[in-house]
């Protein structure tokens, strides 16, 4: 496991192996097990904590989504409220996501059950092929 640290933003990235791209960038430092985390360098542009708000602790493999995104076309300023981040696993799903057209038959069956209008239609789902499920419940994908 290789850990990289961005000296300008304070971001940490853990990768399996090394990254040639991060090794070539001057603002990323590869951290060793015995090397302490260096301080964040205030470059006047990327290190504006008031624009990004407080940093959220990110666990390994955790993905964050904006739960209070800015309005389209809005440019953040010092007075703008910080964007709130929430782990994607905690964001309520409004509607089930449609599987890819090449998704498994089980994925399409599960999705079709959420879209079925009645028990008769739900009973038909088992007898349909993946392509038939995609055609019936997939819309234009």
């Amino acid at each position: 496991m290789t850990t990289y640290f961005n000296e300008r933003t304070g971001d940490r990235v853990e990768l399996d192996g090394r990254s040639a791209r991060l090794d070539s960038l001057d603002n990323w430092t590869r951290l060793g097990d015995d090397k302490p985390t260096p301080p964040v360098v205030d470059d006047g542009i990327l290190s504006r904590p008031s624009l990004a708000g407080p940093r959220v602790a990110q666990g390994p493999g955790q993905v964050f989504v904006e739960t209070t995104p800015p309005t389209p076309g809005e440019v953040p300023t010092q007075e703008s409220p910080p964007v709130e981040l929430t782990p994607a696993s905690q964001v309520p799903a409004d509607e089930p996501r449609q599987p890819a057209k090449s998704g498994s038959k089980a994925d399409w069956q599960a999705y079709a059950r959420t879209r079925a209008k009645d028990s008769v239609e739900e009973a038909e789902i088992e007898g349909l092929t993946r392509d038939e499920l995609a055609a019936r419940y997939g819309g234009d994908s």
Side-chain angles (χ1 to χ4, degrees), residues 105 108-109 112-113 116 121-128 133 137:
K105 181 178 179 180
W108 274 104
Q109 286 175 331
R113 284 187 191 95
E121 186 178 348
E122 192 170 334
E124 294 175 354
I125 291 171
E126 290 297 321
L128 298 174
L133 289 166
Y137 299 100

Side-chain angles (χ1 to χ4, degrees), residues 27-50:
N27 57 319
W28 286 92
T29 303
R30 194 169 8 99
L31 298 178
D33 293 335
D34 57 338
K35 191 172 181 183
T37 302
V40 175
V41 178
D42 183 4
D43 65 353
I45 297 172
L46 298 176
S47 302
R48 299 179 194 172
S50 62

Side-chain angles (χ1 to χ4, degrees), residues 73-93:
E74 178 184 2
V75 177
T77 64
Q78 294 289 341
E79 291 77 34
S80 298
V83 172
E84 183 179 320
L85 298 176
T86 304
S89 60
Q90 296 176 6
V91 175

Side-chain angles (χ1 to χ4, degrees), residues 1-6 11-19 22-23 28-33 35 37-38:
M1 185 70 61
T2 305
T3 303
Y4 289 93
F5 179 75
N6 187 317
D11 292 333
R12 292 177 68 100
V13 176
E14 291 184 359
L15 302 171
D16 293 328
R18 292 182 56 177
S19 167
L22 294 180
D23 283 335
W28 286 92
T29 303
R30 194 169 8 99
L31 298 178
D33 293 335
K35 191 172 181 183
T37 302

